[in-house]
Amino acid sequence: MNVLVTGGAGFIGTHTCVELLKSNHSILIIDNFENSHPEAVKRVEAITGKKVNFRQGDVRDIAFIKKQITDFKCEAVMHFAGLKAVGESCQNPLKYYDYNVAGTLSLLQAMQSCNVKKLVFSSSATVYGAPKRLPIVEDTELHTTNPYGRSKLIVEDILRDLYTSDPSWHIAILRYFNPVGAHKSGLIGEDPIGIPNNLMPIVAQVASNRREKLSIWGNDYPTKDGTGIRDYIHIVDLAIGHLKALESLNVAQCNAYNLGTGNGYSVLEVIKMFEHVSNQKIEYEIASRRDGDVAECYADPLYAMQQLDWKAERGLREMCEDMWNWQIKNPTGY
Ligand code: WQD
């Protein structure tokens, strides 16, 4: 299938492109490099030995998107392009609504005018906010606590409204938990521009002496060791989940799926595992809680397992090993 991949040069996009190419799909990456690197596209070609079609551009440019869909004879779209830092979204909400909501609207309008109606959308477990029950199932009440999460929920609602108005759409909404790790080759990985927000990249930078120490945002949560618990999922498992979601779009639908492992690990457990695989001491200090953080968040992955015939296979050790391999091979990223 000819697949248009927006944001395909990013962390999740590149890993998904590798899996698409391995499954003999043809891909066209569109990226504006706001939060990614051109080198990443070359690395995808190096891993797969296949040519990657690529156009630099912005999903908010409807004419540009229409031209790419037409020229590439696109049959489906995987939409990763967007911004994802919770803290930044609180400081600059308009930027997040412009990129994440207006960008998706432009993409959908271009797809509709070209009669291309197969879409895999990159959503987030952030749409669940502070879950009242764990593990989280897909029909859990949706509520968000920050502009980033709200931008994802607004797009989900747009997609559900679109499908209600025109049930010829084939839509899979994928709610990511905490994607971490890297491709086994160490050629592609997470390379946040600027100061990373997420735990794993920070731990990797401390282990490689790029950062002095980690601040643990709170150790007084009602959890097994007081630190926050999250459902970390290996990026390759996540990428394979996208492939399975695409393959499920052979019938008209609009479904949301949790892409998580169903296992929760605490900050201290992640630190301990990372120290084990890297043989490096991770220096840390205990700091006060971060605004907006929840104590625990992990998925019930059963629905995705049943509907997509998909299950995360890789555990925390492999996530840390592959993250460390990426870090030491690319100490300053791409
Ligand atoms: C994980 C745990 C922190 C950094 C965010 C987004 C979510 C998704 C994934 C996009 C928490 C603790 C972290 C640090 C720490 N992104 N931590 N010190 O907050 O679960 O989710 O990223 O879809 O939408 O909200 O991930 O990696 O930031 O935090 O103690 O320097 O690590 O408190 O318990 P989070 P995270």
Side-chain angles (χ1 to χ4, degrees), residues 12 83-87 122-127 146 148-149 152 175-180 190 196-203 211 213-218 221 227-232 265-268 270-271 285 287-297:
I12 302 170
L83 302 175
K84 64 152 204 154
V86 170
S122 167
S123 188
S124 167
T126 308
V127 300
N146 58 73
Y148 162 71
K152 289 297 184 181
R175 293 172 181 159
Y176 307 156
F177 281 71
N178 289 62
V180 295
E190 189 169 9
N197 300 286
N198 296 129
L199 177 68
M200 197 67 89
I202 293 171
V203 166
R211 285 169 80 103
K213 61 186 167 188
L214 167 75
S215 296
I216 296 181
W217 302 126
Y221 284 103
T227 62
I229 290 176
R230 296 293 185 274
D231 185 333
Y232 299 98
Y265 292 102
S266 74
V267 175
L268 288 174
V270 170
I271 291 171
E285 64 178 1
S288 53
R289 293 182 180 188
R290 181 172 63 175
D291 288 348
D293 271 357
V294 298
E296 279 192 87
C297 178

Side-chain angles (χ1 to χ4, degrees), residues 308-326:
L308 304 181
D309 183 29
W310 167 87
K311 183 176 185 296
E313 304 292 342
R314 295 158 181 83
L316 185 63
R317 171 195 288 270
E318 195 168 351
M319 293 176 210
C320 293
E321 283 171 345
D322 294 341
M323 180 75 196
W324 181 233
N325 183 44
W326 156 257

Side-chain angles (χ1 to χ4, degrees), residues 3-66:
V3 184
L4 175 68
V5 185
T6 75
F11 175 41
I12 302 170
T14 48
H15 286 82
T16 304
C17 285
V18 166
E19 298 305 324
L20 287 167
L21 290 166
K22 279 169 61 179
S23 297
N24 295 319
H25 292 287
S26 297
I27 63 172
L28 169 63
I29 290 178
I30 287 175
D31 208 303
N32 68 358
F33 299 122
E34 167 89 14
N35 196 23
S36 54
H37 304 265
E39 173 63 20
V41 178
K42 296 190 183 114
R43 304 282 184 93
V44 170
E45 291 185 321
I47 290 170
T48 59
K50 295 188 174 180
K51 175 86 184 99
V52 174
N53 302 296
F54 168 72
R55 296 287 181 281
Q56 182 168 352
D58 196 305
V59 286
R60 293 168 294 180
D61 180 347
I62 295 182
F64 169 75
I65 296 292
K66 279 182 183 175

Side-chain angles (χ1 to χ4, degrees), residues 1-4 69 73-79 107-121 159 161-173 245-246 248-255:
M1 202 183 298
N2 293 349
V3 184
L4 175 68
I69 288 175
K73 297 182 177 57
C74 163
E75 297 164 87
V77 175
M78 283 208 178
H79 180 34
L107 175 67
L108 292 171
Q109 287 160 343
M111 290 175 71
Q112 189 174 53
S113 65
C114 299
N115 198 33
V116 173
K117 297 183 175 180
K118 271 190 185 182
L119 172 71
V120 176
F121 172 63
L159 294 173
D161 286 344
L162 176 61
Y163 179 69
T164 303
S165 73
D166 175 0
S168 67
W169 280 80
H170 302 56
I171 299 170
I173 296 167
L246 179 67
S248 79
L249 292 182
N250 48 9
V251 291
Q253 62 188 285
C254 181
N255 286 318

Side-chain angles (χ1 to χ4, degrees), residues 231-294:
D231 185 333
Y232 299 98
I233 176 170
H234 196 291
I235 186 66
V236 174
D237 279 327
L238 191 80
I240 294 167
H242 284 74
L243 193 63
K244 292 284 193 176
L246 179 67
E247 290 165 358
S248 79
L249 292 182
N250 48 9
V251 291
Q253 62 188 285
C254 181
N255 286 318
Y257 304 98
N258 287 337
L259 293 194
T261 67
N263 302 314
Y265 292 102
S266 74
V267 175
L268 288 174
E269 286 174 322
V270 170
I271 291 171
K272 188 171 175 209
M273 180 61 79
F274 211 95
E275 287 182 329
H276 176 69
V277 305
S278 66
N279 197 27
Q280 304 293 317
K281 181 85 180 86
I282 308 292
E283 295 298 334
Y284 64 81
E285 64 178 1
I286 301 298
S288 53
R289 293 182 180 188
R290 181 172 63 175
D291 288 348
D293 271 357
V294 298

